Amino acid sequence: MKYVDEFRDGALARGLGERIAAEVQPGRRYSFMEFCGGHTHAISRYGIAELLPPEVRMIHGPGCPVCVLPIGRIDQAIGLALDRGAIVCSYGDTMRVPASGGLSLMKAKARGGDIRMVYSAADALRLARENPAREVVFFAIGFETTTPPTALVIQQAARESLANFSVLSCHVLTPSAITHILESAEVREWGTVPIDGFIGPAHVSIVIGSMPYEHFAEEYRKPVVIAGFEPLDVMQALLMLVRQVNEGRAEVENEFARAVTREGNLAAQQAVSQVFELRERFEWRGLGEVPYSALKIRPGFAAFDAERRFGLEYRPVPDHKQCECGAILRGVKRPVDCKLFGNVCTPENPVGSCMVSTEGACSAHYSYGRYRDMKRDMNRDTKDAA
């Protein structure tokens, strides 16, 4: 954990690529989904796909927190700021996610909404203490990684009887989303998204451990290898997945053993279970409604639930008609398959949520992959001309 360079050694990465190429079986295709947006970013940034043999295909999954945030939830947060006069706080990437009417949290701020970027849930709690005459709402998003801090600030607000603080919870769950993907028609019926295994998320797994993935190996016969975010972590995980497929195994292996255990962080899990409970249904951008895939605040902490406090009702809103984020999040399409990619839709002017965060598939490919695409096309044109 002390060093970074040892996990970014180019010669070792190329060696792992050669090892993978040597072990792929002739005539066989391997399709692996990286679920976490951090892995999507790493794969694009370090050119990992270029080190892999053509038989190995990477599929981007819905593991970017802001990418899966539906428009209707952002509309709720914007409404709290513009219509209810609340101070709305959230993380930086959330500020730029497109919402209804051409708005985003950032654009709503420009219209006069008191919307503030914070670095942690504790920052929102501090703002509530400093502004006792104002309602302060923390717009809480993310997977299991960011859920424990939200639980802790709700517990702290309860201890302080902080009457002007509440949370709009949009925390979602990794295992439920993976199950939804494996049960989808694209995977089970039509086979348009073949998945031979998963690269398990790093930070999420630190919290929940490796145990929740055992279900996918046993029930769906899909191997899972939990990996860190560095390029050698990802390459080693891919080698482990290729070996499992070749040997007909479907197991959970932990490449990121320096940080992940089977049980996970029990203290963090306990805090979450004390404050949150499962929602029956929750809409994901690109996936639609996914049962038992998100968390809501328990009745015991209802005083800090923004949905209850403000009587919020959720209204689904469709994405831009030409935006392919939904299909990209399901692994059906690639960023370059979208007509808006790179011209109308850019990181500076995102039309879809996949272009907002650096962990989004479109943003990652725009920042890194498109240059390699241009170089590849130029080389192909040169060969054709010769």
Side-chain angles (χ1 to χ4, degrees):
M1 295 294 286
K2 293 181 180 179
Y3 308 105
V4 173
D5 291 345
E6 62 189 287
F7 297 103
R8 297 180 181 176
D9 188 301
L12 287 177
R14 286 188 290 273
L16 282 167
E18 293 169 359
R19 185 72 263 166
I20 293 171
E23 297 200 19
V24 296
Q25 296 178 350
R28 187 167 198 168
R29 304 284 292 180
Y30 302 78
S31 298
F32 301 125
M33 175 176 279
E34 88 277 358
F35 185 86
C36 182
H39 286 137
T40 300
H41 178 83
I43 288 167
S44 293
R45 178 181 179 183
Y46 297 108
I48 289 173
E50 281 68 38
L51 297 176
L52 299 175
E55 294 85 357
V56 178
R57 174 195 174 199
M58 297 306 303
I59 302 170
H60 307 313
C64 162
V66 301
C67 298
V68 299
L69 193 61
I71 291 175
R73 296 291 172 184
I74 308 163
D75 286 350
Q76 286 181 331
I78 290 173
L80 289 173
L82 293 180
D83 303 331
R84 305 294 186 94
I87 299 174
V88 175
C89 308
S90 196
Y91 299 122
D93 284 344
T94 316
M95 301 287 286
R96 301 173 57 245
V97 181
S100 295
L103 280 178
S104 64
L105 286 172
M106 186 173 290
K107 291 178 180 178
K109 178 180 176 68
R111 290 193 181 183
D114 196 344
I115 300 171
R116 310 188 189 187
M117 185 189 78
V118 294
Y119 292 100
S120 70
D123 289 342
L125 194 66
R126 174 180 53 79
L127 282 170
R129 296 190 191 105
E130 294 172 354
N131 298 272
R134 299 281 305 280
E135 289 282 350
V136 176
V137 180
F138 177 55
F139 185 27
I141 74 157
F143 291 88
E144 291 90 344
T145 311
T146 55
T147 309
T150 304
L152 292 175
V153 298
I154 291 175
Q155 290 177 328
Q156 183 62 36
R159 285 192 289 269
E160 297 180 23
S161 299
L162 205 58
N164 66 324
F165 177 76
S166 60
V167 170
L168 179 56
S169 174
C170 291
H171 286 300
V172 290
L173 303 172
T174 300
S176 300
I178 295 177
T179 299
H180 186 76
I181 289 170
L182 290 172
E183 290 287 349
S184 69
E186 290 99 344
V187 176
R188 290 180 70 89
E189 295 178 25
W190 305 328
T192 52
V193 183
I195 297 177
D196 297 306
F198 290 92
I199 296 180
H203 292 158
V204 164
S205 301
I206 292 174
V207 176
I208 68 174
S210 64
M211 197 184 310
Y213 307 109
E214 293 172 5
H215 167 70
F216 307 115
E218 296 170 1
E219 182 71 19
Y220 296 95
R221 302 300 300 164
K222 302 294 183 184
V224 179
V225 177
I226 298 165
F229 289 129
E230 297 301 330
L232 293 189
D233 287 318
V234 178
M235 294 295 291
Q236 177 63 32
L238 288 170
L239 178 60
M240 294 164 72
L241 283 169
V242 167
R243 287 175 173 170
Q244 282 209 51
V245 171
N246 288 347
E247 296 167 11
R249 292 186 292 119
E251 301 173 4
V252 177
E253 294 183 310
N254 183 11
E255 185 277 336
F256 200 35
R258 61 186 187 274
V260 173
T261 64
R262 185 171 183 268
E263 295 77 17
N265 188 324
L266 298 180
Q269 294 171 27
Q270 183 180 27
V272 170
S273 66
Q274 289 172 348
V275 174
F276 292 101
E277 62 184 5
L278 284 173
R279 291 182 185 266
E280 289 186 6
R281 292 193 169 275
F282 189 84
E283 183 188 10
W284 292 53
R285 209 166 194 155
L287 301 185
E289 280 198 349
V290 182
Y292 301 107
S293 66
L295 299 173
K296 62 181 180 180
I297 297 171
R298 288 185 179 277
F301 292 93
F304 307 99
D305 185 347
E307 290 183 74
R308 288 188 175 101
R309 175 175 293 193
F310 295 97
L312 300 181
E313 293 184 8
Y314 180 72
R315 295 182 177 87
V317 180
D319 278 326
H320 188 289
K321 290 182 179 179
Q322 291 183 297
C323 177
E324 298 287 3
C325 271
I328 292 168
L329 287 168
R330 298 194 308 275
V332 177
K333 292 188 177 182
R334 303 169 300 161
V336 292
D337 295 328
C338 181
K339 295 178 181 179
L340 305 182
F341 176 81
N343 43 68
V344 176
C345 184
T346 66
E348 292 74 28
N349 183 41
V351 175
S353 59
C354 297
M355 190 62 90
V356 174
S357 169
T358 57
E359 294 187 356
C362 292
S363 177
H365 193 76
Y366 183 89
S367 298
Y368 304 105
R370 64 191 177 114
Y371 298 109
R372 287 189 287 271
D373 289 345
M374 292 167 60
K375 183 178 179 181
R376 184 186 62 238
D377 292 342
M378 289 175 62
N379 291 337
R380 185 173 60 237
D381 292 343
T382 302
K383 290 180 181 178
D384 291 343

